[in-house]
Amino acid sequence: MKILLVLIVIVAFGFVGYVYKQKLKNELDFFKFINEFEEYYNSNMTLFKCDIIEIIDKFIIMQNNKNAKYINLFLKNNNLYAINKDFISKQITNKESVETIYKYLTLCGKSEYDFEKEKNENFKAYINNSIIGSEKLYREKGGLVFKLLLAIGSVIGILIW
């Protein structure tokens, strides 16, 4: 009975560490997805205002071929796209990043060509910094928290024994 209790404690602590590590990994993947969208939007934007709906449709088709899991970000309502803010807030823990990404996505295609290019360059710098920060956090804290919680679970298991 003690062995089962010790194993349950170790597995529970390891699972909590694994969930935290996966949360950081999902955040990093989401930032990379947003970066891909920004690059795709920037390359398909033309001087003659290509329709944003066509760009998003083509991007979704391209992502479906990659089996992407972040397509739920775009909600289609009667041939118009809305941005799912709740989906963004589930993927990212920083509220300021959620607001910045949401604002960028909702304002895509609503300005003139020159301003859109400038806005995309600024957003690209922001998202690249976010990717670097998230990658650093994942490398430093993700594995550390997982291993630390697994060690704490082992120590508690030894104390129970």
Side-chain angles (χ1 to χ4, degrees):
M1 190 65 177
K2 280 186 182 180
I3 295 174
L4 185 61
L5 184 62
V6 168
L7 287 176
I8 289 173
V9 168
I10 292 172
V11 169
F13 274 87
F15 180 73
V16 170
Y18 177 77
V19 168
Y20 180 75
K21 185 177 178 180
Q22 282 304 111
K23 176 70 175 164
L24 293 177
K25 175 84 169 114
N26 287 340
E27 185 173 323
L28 176 63
D29 290 344
F30 185 72
F31 280 132
K32 288 180 179 178
F33 173 79
I34 294 296
N35 188 35
E36 285 180 21
F37 176 75
E38 183 275 327
E39 289 174 353
Y40 186 80
Y41 175 64
N42 198 24
S43 65
N44 288 311
M45 183 176 44
T46 62
L47 184 60
F48 302 108
K49 271 195 161 181
C50 185
D51 193 19
I52 186 71
I53 296 169
E54 292 176 22
I55 292 173
I56 293 175
D57 281 338
K58 290 176 184 175
F59 181 74
I60 289 174
I61 290 170
M62 183 181 77
Q63 291 298 316
N64 281 337
N65 293 337
K66 294 181 177 180
N67 295 327
K69 59 183 176 181
Y70 301 114
I71 296 300
N72 296 333
L73 174 66
F74 302 107
L75 301 173
K76 192 165 189 174
N77 299 331
N78 297 333
N79 294 330
L80 295 174
Y81 279 102
I83 306 302
N84 191 351
K85 189 173 182 179
D86 293 333
F87 185 77
I88 298 172
S89 63
K90 287 180 185 175
Q91 302 301 321
I92 301 174
T93 55
N94 187 356
K95 300 299 180 196
E96 294 168 358
S97 294
V98 170
E99 289 298 323
T100 304
I101 291 172
Y102 180 73
K103 186 176 179 182
Y104 169 77
L105 292 174
T106 54
L107 294 178
C108 279
K110 300 208 179 350
S111 303
E112 294 195 19
Y113 178 76
D114 293 333
F115 183 69
E116 284 287 324
K117 282 290 189 183
E118 181 182 330
K119 183 177 72 169
N120 279 344
E121 290 301 318
N122 292 338
F123 186 73
K124 184 175 186 170
Y126 172 77
I127 205 71
N128 284 337
N129 288 336
S130 297
I131 288 173
I132 291 169
S134 182
E135 207 167 52
K136 183 179 177 186
L137 187 68
Y138 174 69
R139 270 189 286 114
E140 290 176 357
K141 289 192 178 176
L144 178 68
V145 168
F146 175 68
K147 292 173 188 173
L148 187 62
L149 285 175
L150 200 55
I152 290 171
S154 299
V155 168
I156 291 174
I158 291 170
L159 291 176
I160 290 173
W161 187 265

